[in-house]
Amino acid sequence: MGILTDQPDDDVADLFTDTPVQKWPQKIWLVRHGQSAGNVARDAAEAAQLHLIDIADRDMDVPLSELGERQAEAMSHWFRALGPDGQPTVVLYSPYVRARATAAAVISKVGRDNLVASVVDERLREKEFGILDRLTPLGIHDKYPELAEQRQHVGKFYFRPPGGESWCDVILRLRSALDTIIREYRGERVLIVGHQVIVNCFRYLLERMDEETILAIDREADVPNCGITEYRYDPALGKHGKLVLVQANFVAPLEDTGTPVTDQPDMPAAPKS
């Protein structure tokens, strides 16, 4: 027999009150990690017209570059300046080294003791490239011409390389992550540190986009390293309120400190489509 209490949980309480319970965090920030050594190696490989990006680490072990560390530091000062009533109360981040280091920079400034939660979540990992990992566009066309042709035909939203993921696959795991955020962190201020595709796929979900809209945004510009995309909860929208976009790819924290802004795509290089 269940134990009866006079304190119903939030979901049950919703049935007995005319006041809707907020289901969303108060704020969500989406941040791409700082520039990585992989971004630098990719640029060098493209400039030299190589087929393979020269980096020995696994993608998940690629660290921040020296500039990436500076970018993370500049961004973390911006979050600290928000003060106790505006700083993140939850930090969720990809297990990849470059994302963990970026998140750690922010955590060090806001103070781990001031956080409700600081959690590494594998669902926030980089899109998996499968057999195309470390290949430049030239390398892909040379080694797997049939895959290059298929990707061109299908489009990056649905194309899944062998052993890898499509954008749809990433969105599927982010739907699960978003369910967790809604369930566990309603009313909190949540910082999510991930990767370029993670930022864009979260935007797809939070702004209720379609394929055409998110790919147009992706074609327009790459997500800058340590760029901040911010959403704020508006209780006046919809039955239970909604998150609204405040700013996208905000890089003033870097510019104000004279830190160079970079926006190199993550590995492997692939043409926009």
Side-chain angles (χ1 to χ4, degrees), residues 35-262:
Q35 184 196 58
S36 72
N39 298 142
V40 176
R42 171 202 161 108
D43 282 353
E46 282 197 353
Q49 295 187 317
L50 301 178
H51 288 197
L52 192 66
I53 298 169
D54 184 18
I55 192 161
D57 295 314
R58 300 183 306 165
D59 190 24
M60 54 285 296
D61 296 329
V62 172
L64 293 176
S65 66
E66 182 180 350
L67 174 56
E69 293 174 352
R70 290 167 54 198
Q71 291 169 336
E73 184 73 7
M75 180 192 64
S76 67
H77 280 288
W78 183 83
F79 277 107
R80 181 173 66 179
L82 295 178
D85 295 330
Q87 294 169 348
T89 56
V90 175
V91 180
L92 309 175
Y93 51 97
S94 160
Y96 283 38
V97 168
R98 55 191 181 272
R100 295 175 72 115
T102 304
V106 178
I107 292 170
S108 70
K109 294 297 186 296
V110 303
R112 191 176 296 273
D113 292 342
N114 296 322
L115 295 175
V116 172
S118 171
V119 180
V120 59
D121 191 325
E122 75 285 345
R123 293 171 297 185
L124 304 178
R125 70 187 184 277
E126 174 63 283
K127 182 175 82 74
E128 296 178 1
F129 300 112
I131 64 172
L132 303 184
D133 188 35
R134 298 176 63 207
L135 291 175
T136 65
L138 191 63
I140 294 171
H141 281 83
D142 180 71
K143 191 171 184 178
Y144 302 111
E146 71 287 353
L147 290 181
E149 182 180 350
Q150 182 187 26
R151 182 189 181 281
Q152 185 66 33
H153 175 69
V154 173
K156 70 192 302 181
F157 194 77
Y158 291 103
F159 173 69
R160 179 192 295 138
E165 295 179 297
S166 68
W167 278 40
C168 288
D169 295 320
V170 175
I171 288 166
L172 182 61
R173 54 177 157 96
L174 292 187
R175 288 189 187 277
S176 169
L178 194 55
D179 285 344
T180 300
I181 290 168
I182 292 171
R183 183 179 67 250
E184 298 187 8
Y185 306 123
R186 66 174 81 184
E188 300 293 345
R189 298 185 296 273
V190 180
L191 169 62
I192 298 171
V193 181
H195 308 267
Q196 174 163 262
V197 173
I198 294 299
V199 171
N200 279 334
C201 288
F202 260 124
R203 290 197 64 182
Y204 171 89
L205 291 171
L206 294 173
E207 298 176 49
R208 296 170 174 81
M209 296 181 186
D210 56 19
E211 175 191 3
E212 181 180 3
T213 303
I214 189 57
L215 290 186
I217 290 173
D218 180 63
R219 281 192 298 269
E220 183 178 340
D222 289 307
V223 176
N225 295 109
C226 286
I228 301 167
T229 295
E230 178 180 352
Y231 296 86
R232 181 185 64 246
Y233 174 71
D234 187 338
L237 297 179
K239 183 179 180 181
H240 296 288
K242 293 181 180 179
L243 290 174
V244 295
L245 180 67
V246 176
Q247 55 192 351
N249 297 331
F250 177 65
V251 292
L254 277 63
E255 295 173 335
D256 291 346
T257 58
T259 306
V261 175
T262 55

Side-chain angles (χ1 to χ4, degrees), residues 8-22 186 239-240:
D9 63 29
D10 289 339
D11 294 330
V12 175
D14 236 358
L15 302 174
F16 297 99
T17 178
D18 292 330
T19 303
V21 174
Q22 177 176 335
R186 66 174 81 184
K239 183 179 180 181
H240 296 288

